Amino acid sequence: MKFFIKRGAACVDGFTIYNYNAEPLYTARVDASSSLRIVMTDSENQNVSTIKFNNFVLNYFTIRCSRRFYALVPCINKQFSFAIYGSTFRFIGNLADGRFSMLNSNGEVIMTQKKCWTQQGEGYEVNITEGQYHIFMLSVALCADIYIALTESHPIPT
């Protein structure tokens, strides 16, 4: 399944996730009142995922989707990655290029994310091969885009 993520003019404007035919499937609205919180809804305005950026002792994201809870801790070494707690998946990539991959426990690539030009402008192409986890994987892809947007505006110490 191929999706396209388009960020609003600023990180706080939110995101829209499109299918291959450029039809909007999900909307991610940002609430930056006390902390950065993103709620992803489907076309029927049903909440499918909640992402929160936490800034307590260290910077990390939490994701609530599909009745599960995940924590993503950004790790920057030679490559960028998220340590994902609550899952056996690994997320690695390159911040500068905007290219990322999600691997399953066997090391097989189950999601790729890359910067690209969409019909709606600059965004990300997300290709997911594990359909049953697509909401979680789209949420992780949003976390990567949010992390990039936050580090562009003011660097986050790691």
Side-chain angles (χ1 to χ4, degrees), residues 6-131:
K6 174 70 175 109
R7 182 182 353 159
C11 181
V12 294
D13 291 342
F15 305 85
T16 305
I17 300 170
Y18 300 90
N19 66 6
Y20 187 74
N21 298 323
E23 299 164 340
L25 294 178
Y26 303 102
T27 302
R29 291 183 175 79
V30 177
D31 174 20
S33 55
S34 60
S35 64
L36 189 62
R37 184 173 174 255
I38 299 92
V39 177
M40 186 166 60
T41 56
D42 62 13
S43 58
E44 297 171 357
N45 209 26
Q46 298 293 316
N47 183 349
V48 294
S49 178
T50 302
I51 302 166
K52 187 175 178 190
F53 177 71
N54 301 284
N55 188 330
F56 182 73
V57 180
L58 62 118
N59 299 307
Y60 64 100
F61 292 92
T62 56
I63 299 174
R64 288 187 184 276
C65 69
S66 306
R67 300 182 197 175
R68 303 271 322 256
F69 179 82
Y70 306 92
L72 281 67
V73 179
C75 304
I76 299 178
N77 228 344
K78 292 180 181 178
Q79 286 188 317
F80 172 78
S81 66
F82 281 127
I84 303 174
Y85 298 94
S87 171
T88 58
F89 298 136
R90 292 184 322 136
F91 184 85
I92 58 171
N94 187 317
L95 282 175
D97 293 342
R99 291 181 171 270
F100 306 101
S101 297
M102 176 97 59
L103 309 172
N104 65 13
S105 59
N106 296 330
E108 300 165 333
V109 176
I110 56 173
M111 180 189 89
T112 58
Q113 177 181 355
K114 64 180 179 180
K115 283 185 182 179
C116 71
W117 190 260
T118 68
Q119 292 179 2
Q120 294 76 25
E122 186 180 24
Y124 286 93
E125 176 185 300
V126 180
N127 194 359
I128 299 173
T129 59
E130 286 282 331

